[in-house]
Amino acid sequence: MHKKTTNLPDWSALMPVLPGEGPRTRELYAAIRRLIEAGVVPAGAKLPTTRDLARRFGLSRASAVAAFEMLTADGFAEARVGAGTFVAAQVPHLPVAAVKERGPDLEVSPPLPCALGVATPDARTLRVFRSLLARRLARPGPEHFHYGDPRGGLALRQAIAAYLRSARGVRCDAGQIIVTSGSQQGLDLLIRAAIRPGDAVWIEDPCYPMAHAALANSGGHVVGVPVDSEGLDPALGEALCPRARAVYVTPSHQFPLGITMTMRRRLALIDWARRNEAWIIEDDYDSEFRYAGPPLTALQGMDASGRVAYLGTFSKVLFPGLRVGYAVVPEPLLDAVLELRARTDRHPPSLAEGALTDLLNEGHFAGHLRRSRRRVHAARDALVAGLQACRAGVLDVTAPEQGLHLVAKLTSARCDVEIVAAAKAAGVGARALSSMFVTAQPQQGLVLGFSGFADDELRAAAARLDAILG
């Protein structure tokens, strides 16, 4: 193989996308094509020899030759007699907007190691849930055979309210809770109930991209308020946009930076909302996963003026396929949210509600949480150890005290979007930190998830990142 150009990937990083036995011609073709389209392998770059690729990946020489012939036939490569095979001078490139990270609902399936939004399976919980579901189905109640309350079943809402009061300090009763298909639906309902087109809305900068998209698509004027070591600064928000109608925040575990909003900032934000009759939308997406001490009290529980709407979900702590989240809605917004829910979705599915209610009420959920925290804690440590073993001076990594992801900041002048494209081609589900900034100066870094993956998968992913960054 020729001497690598500085910005070319380690070709051994292609191995994760060449599974199984047999010729694997198309897999090799697709892997190299992705690297070319993403710009990781630039136009004019020399490709490895077919003999070298066959040796590295355990392919037959004929398979490697056939893959190169496909690349040449499609215009991605050109063969030069006596010199080798090169990336064509003119090839289609994915636009930056396509390479730039998008919402978690657009991730590939099955997810690549270090992808976000992956829950940790628990065999014991699944066995219990299956039993609870079978018990409920053995004697199905009438709630399954007619349209129900748009808020969801009363028993489940009571169980959720009891859990939130105990675990998160949320001030609520079952009447304020709306069972949703996840926090994103809850956010959409709150936005449509509270925000009119043209209203200014603050959002953390950097922020959760799907929340930014929801606010922008509603017609709101989205104002990014920079996040520092104390979280979002309400005083800076007022200086940037004093008449905002609402703010979207993740105070317990800021996404993506992982910062916890300090008490003085929390009180200042509540005071701002009270003075301006504005709404605070608190997204408490992964608060159950705190590794040093109990979960923090929710912002909503500190608010005596009723200006905070609270969003939570079972997607992270159980599994996204359950499609159950919840919103605690302030009284003045409740009728509007219920009308929207009834008009667009009628009511949540009742089939799993009973089993989930039993899971909460019979103590199974608490046991599940303890087991999940231990597993995710170990996964975090495995990924951090793998990343810290990477080449010195490339990544700045600190083990987070909460949550299901970490941020590895780049200490060199590298573009995180380009690294993410190379990582995906190598089988690593990193996301670009810079893509999550609104107006503040973007920082370069990788946002990496550790939930839902085996320790050895995470260590291998860290090694592949090391090869890309080297």
Side-chain angles (χ1 to χ4, degrees), residues 202-242:
W202 295 352
I203 195 169
E204 297 160 322
D205 194 0
C207 67
Y208 175 47
M210 293 292 282
H212 183 276
L215 290 165
N217 290 340
S218 74
H221 171 53
V222 184
V223 178
V225 180
V227 172
D228 61 20
S229 61
E230 295 188 72
L232 179 143
D233 186 351
L236 183 55
E238 288 200 79
L240 291 170
C241 178

Side-chain angles (χ1 to χ4, degrees), residues 269-415:
L269 188 62
I270 291 170
D271 180 64
W272 165 80
R274 179 189 55 79
R275 288 186 286 105
N276 291 275
E277 296 186 342
W279 299 108
I280 299 172
I281 301 175
E282 176 183 13
D283 190 344
D284 207 22
Y285 62 100
D286 67 358
S287 63
E288 290 88 357
F289 293 94
R290 184 169 175 82
Y291 310 114
L296 302 172
T297 299
L299 184 69
Q300 193 268 3
M302 303 175 185
D303 172 34
S305 58
R307 307 303 304 181
V308 180
Y310 178 91
L311 294 173
T313 182
F314 289 104
S315 293
K316 305 292 190 298
V317 69
L318 287 174
F319 48 95
L322 187 61
R323 303 312 303 137
V324 177
Y326 44 86
V328 181
V329 182
E331 193 67 36
L333 295 177
L334 189 56
D335 287 345
V337 170
L338 285 173
E339 181 184 352
L340 288 165
R341 176 60 187 271
R343 191 166 69 235
T344 58
D345 196 27
R346 291 298 291 267
H347 63 90
S350 61
L351 190 58
E353 278 192 352
L356 181 55
T357 303
D358 295 340
L359 195 77
L360 289 164
N361 288 341
E362 296 179 9
H364 307 296
F365 183 71
H368 169 81
L369 268 179
R370 289 191 295 270
R371 294 190 299 274
S372 294
R373 284 195 192 103
R374 287 196 298 269
R375 290 194 182 102
V376 175
H377 194 170
R380 180 204 69 174
D381 291 346
L383 180 58
V384 169
L387 293 172
Q388 289 177 340
C390 287
R391 290 169 173 80
V394 178
L395 294 177
D396 180 12
V397 181
T398 302
E401 294 185 353
Q402 182 170 320
L404 304 173
H405 75 274
L406 59 80
V407 175
K409 293 186 179 179
L410 295 169
T411 58
S412 61
R414 300 283 296 273
C415 173

Side-chain angles (χ1 to χ4, degrees), residues 38 40 99-101 112 410 415-433 435 445-448 465 468:
V40 176
V99 176
K100 189 173 180 179
E101 285 305 289
L112 300 174
L410 295 169
C415 173
D416 59 4
V417 172
E418 293 178 0
I419 293 171
V420 163
K424 285 201 171 180
V428 181
R431 299 184 70 188
L433 177 61
S435 69
L446 306 177
V447 184
L448 305 167
L465 284 174
I468 291 166

Side-chain angles (χ1 to χ4, degrees), residues 157-158 160-165 169-177 300-301 310 327-329:
R157 290 186 285 115
Q158 288 173 330
I160 292 172
Y163 166 68
L164 292 178
R165 289 194 297 265
V170 173
R171 302 188 194 191
C172 66
D173 57 43
Q176 292 175 265
I177 291 178
Q300 193 268 3
Y310 178 91
V328 181
V329 182

